[in-house]
Amino acid sequence: MKLYEYNKNNNVCLIKICGFSIFEQTNDLINLNKKQRFCSGIIETDKIIFSDGVIKDIKVFGVSVIKRKDLNGFRKYYILGKEIFSVALYELFKRRYVKYFDSKYDNIYILHANCGEVYLTLVHFFDAIIKKHQSQNPLLVATQKCHVDLIKMICPNVPYIYLKNMDILVKDSCFKIDKFRIFILYDDSYYHQTEKNIISSRIGECHYFNSLKEKLELSNDDITMRKIIISDKEKLSVLNKVRQIGLNLDRFIFISPEANTCKLYDDDFWIELIKKIEETGYDVFVNLTNNEMNLKDFVNFKTCYLTLAEVFVLAGYANKIIGLRSGLLELLLQTKTPMEILYTRFKNRKLYLDTAHILSGFSLLKLPFDGNQQIREFDMFAISQKDCIKEIMANL
């Protein structure tokens, strides 16, 4: 028997001491439920997320002791089933966050999206948004670190603040508190409806860029194109980093195998692809940000930590970008570097989206860009690993 055991995967975390369960957490990422058990279940917590609210329940020996409900615009607390306190979610939002909004701003735009949607919003729609809402002094609110990087690259003159792990609370996409008009870009229902529209339509009929445009109530005439701006300091930083790792800037392939939404593709595919590329005399840089993939033990490549701006600069030097479909690739369109893009199933979805609909509904080829670079997209359900590598190598 081990004194201490710790096991973790995507859905379960378990801690044991001398075989006794101290802590267990189970995440149902499809139904958005989270369960925690302490001391072999003496204390339990359940968190259930609905489209219009959240319920959190704390139990002792299976009996609900404290419960919190965020439903119908109110947060309510219960002890042993009896309601003891209630507060409007608008009021709660005001108490928590309005103190961060300087009174000189009029419209507050909260970025509640991943990298890809935020990139498209800032590049193609933000000018039309502030014009439509007659914003004289807008403020952007970043809720992820990548939002800060994107704002600096795309809207360097727009004021912003960073509120990490912000709990939006209010379900409305637009509401008013004091003098501020607050816009949520985007509410959770938008994402579900977009995927639902894509899967229920014939392939080619529905695309997420049009869904963004419709959600914002904008037209094709409102689409603009903000160019990415990179400081000389960041450009120099990249050159210093790649010099230290010995990357051949004149002849290398940039590989991006990670994604938040698409399922990771097999390590064996990337290992074989890297080997084939290096056999042709190209250097390889692999952009890695977490420990989900195990490539280093099987193949040699160059890698180092890069900020989002530095990734953009380095990818601009590459002879080609090869990547799993992710929001990063939207950003890299502006590098004008040729791309080979892999599409896989989405992670943790109630709604089944086949890869053919995913490729059609989220294709980069349907986004506004100048079209100078070559882009090829692969449905990894419809092509074998061997044939995909063969296609990529033939076009290297």
Side-chain angles (χ1 to χ4, degrees):
M1 181 184 297
K2 294 182 180 180
L3 177 63
Y4 176 80
E5 295 180 65
Y6 175 78
N7 296 297
K8 183 178 181 181
N9 59 36
N10 290 335
N11 300 323
V12 178
C13 176
L14 179 63
I15 299 174
K16 290 184 178 182
I17 296 179
C18 296
F20 183 75
S21 176
I22 298 298
F23 174 77
E24 181 180 350
Q25 177 171 298
T26 304
N27 294 314
D28 183 347
L29 298 175
I30 294 177
N31 295 306
L32 300 178
N33 298 345
K34 182 169 74 173
K35 294 180 178 291
Q36 295 178 326
R37 302 174 78 244
F38 301 87
C39 300
S40 290
I42 294 175
I43 300 173
E44 298 177 86
T45 69
D46 292 339
K47 184 177 182 180
I48 305 171
I49 301 176
F50 304 95
S51 60
D52 57 351
V54 178
I55 295 177
K56 187 169 184 179
D57 197 6
I58 300 175
K59 299 177 182 178
V60 178
F61 293 113
V63 177
S64 178
V65 178
I66 300 174
K67 182 179 287 188
R68 190 191 78 194
K69 291 184 178 181
D70 292 354
L71 290 171
N72 302 318
F74 286 86
R75 171 166 289 181
K76 297 182 179 183
Y77 290 90
Y78 301 80
I79 292 182
L80 297 175
K82 183 178 180 180
E83 182 182 327
I84 61 166
F85 180 70
S86 177
V87 60
L89 292 176
Y90 285 102
E91 180 62 28
L92 199 56
F93 181 96
K94 179 178 179 178
R95 292 179 194 174
R96 287 189 182 180
Y97 300 118
V98 169
K99 61 187 175 184
Y100 297 109
F101 308 153
D102 192 295
S103 59
K104 66 183 177 182
Y105 301 116
D106 50 11
N107 290 352
I108 312 296
Y109 297 96
I110 299 174
L111 302 176
H112 184 233
N114 288 325
C115 178
E117 287 88 0
V118 171
Y119 166 79
L120 293 175
T121 299
L122 297 181
V123 166
H124 296 300
F125 298 127
F126 189 64
D127 291 329
I129 290 171
I130 59 177
K131 180 179 179 181
K132 176 181 177 180
H133 299 301
Q134 299 180 333
S135 299
Q136 300 301 313
N137 294 292
L139 175 71
L140 285 166
V141 179
T143 57
Q144 299 179 30
K145 179 59 175 65
C146 68
H147 298 168
V148 175
D149 296 333
L150 288 170
I151 292 168
K152 289 180 178 179
M153 287 189 283
I154 302 167
C155 302
N157 297 322
V158 179
Y160 74 90
I161 59 173
Y162 176 36
L163 297 179
K164 185 179 180 180
N165 299 324
M166 186 179 188
D167 188 355
I168 302 298
L169 296 169
V170 178
K171 296 301 177 182
D172 296 331
S173 58
C174 175
F175 55 95
K176 197 170 188 296
I177 293 181
D178 294 343
K179 63 162 287 187
F180 304 111
R181 282 193 300 170
I182 299 171
F183 300 86
I184 311 297
L185 305 174
Y186 299 89
D187 55 60
D188 293 336
S189 63
Y190 158 77
Y191 302 103
H192 179 75
Q193 189 60 49
T194 296
E195 292 181 12
K196 186 176 179 181
N197 290 343
I198 289 171
I199 194 62
S200 62
S201 302
R202 287 186 297 180
I203 288 176
E205 285 188 349
C206 189
H207 191 264
Y208 82 116
F209 184 77
N210 292 328
S211 296
L212 281 173
K213 185 174 58 181
E214 291 167 7
K215 177 67 176 177
L216 296 169
E217 298 180 346
L218 299 175
S219 68
N220 287 334
D221 293 336
D222 296 314
I223 297 173
T224 56
M225 183 67 187
R226 281 181 173 250
K227 295 291 186 181
I228 289 175
I229 300 171
I230 305 293
S231 70
D232 291 338
K233 180 180 178 181
E234 286 165 321
K235 293 176 183 177
L236 182 61
S237 174
V238 173
L239 295 177
N240 288 335
K241 287 182 178 182
V242 298
R243 189 179 298 117
Q244 291 174 12
I245 61 175
L247 180 68
N248 181 2
L249 276 181
D250 295 322
R251 188 175 171 82
F252 82 98
I253 305 300
F254 183 98
I255 293 181
S256 176
E258 298 175 337
N260 289 325
T261 301
C262 283
K263 288 186 175 181
L264 298 183
Y265 204 52
D266 294 345
D267 289 0
D268 289 346
F269 169 86
W270 298 109
I271 290 167
E272 183 64 21
L273 178 62
I274 292 169
K275 287 179 180 178
K276 293 287 187 184
I277 292 172
E278 291 184 331
E279 287 173 2
T280 66
Y282 281 96
D283 216 345
V284 175
F285 182 91
V286 182
N287 188 51
L288 296 171
T289 60
N290 55 50
N291 298 316
E292 291 186 71
M293 307 191 71
N294 182 25
L295 305 179
K296 295 180 181 179
D297 294 340
F298 302 98
V299 67
N300 294 317
F301 55 85
K302 308 292 172 56
T303 190
C304 63
Y305 170 76
L306 298 174
T307 66
L308 202 55
E310 290 171 341
V311 166
F312 181 83
V313 173
L314 183 59
Y317 281 101
N319 296 88
K320 181 166 288 189
I321 296 166
I322 304 172
L324 182 64
R325 178 66 170 93
S326 69
L328 174 64
L329 299 187
E330 279 135 327
L331 169 71
L332 298 186
L333 281 174
Q334 287 201 38
T335 65
K336 299 184 181 180
T337 302
M339 290 188 187
E340 309 274 9
I341 305 169
L342 281 58
Y343 285 75
T344 61
R345 286 275 313 281
F346 282 175
K347 302 175 184 176
N348 310 311
R349 291 296 198 275
K350 285 184 179 181
L351 190 65
Y352 176 82
L353 272 166
D354 61 89
T355 48
H357 276 90
I358 291 171
L359 193 156
S360 174
F362 295 89
S363 171
L364 294 186
L365 288 170
K366 297 179 182 179
L367 296 178
F369 69 104
D370 58 24
N372 287 337
Q373 77 260 52
Q374 180 187 13
I375 296 176
R376 293 199 306 171
E377 299 179 313
F378 297 93
D379 177 350
M380 300 311 293
F381 182 80
I383 188 171
S384 69
Q385 294 186 21
K386 181 179 178 181
D387 287 342
C388 185
I389 291 175
K390 185 177 178 180
E391 285 282 335
I392 291 173
M393 295 306 299
N395 200 37
L396 197 61

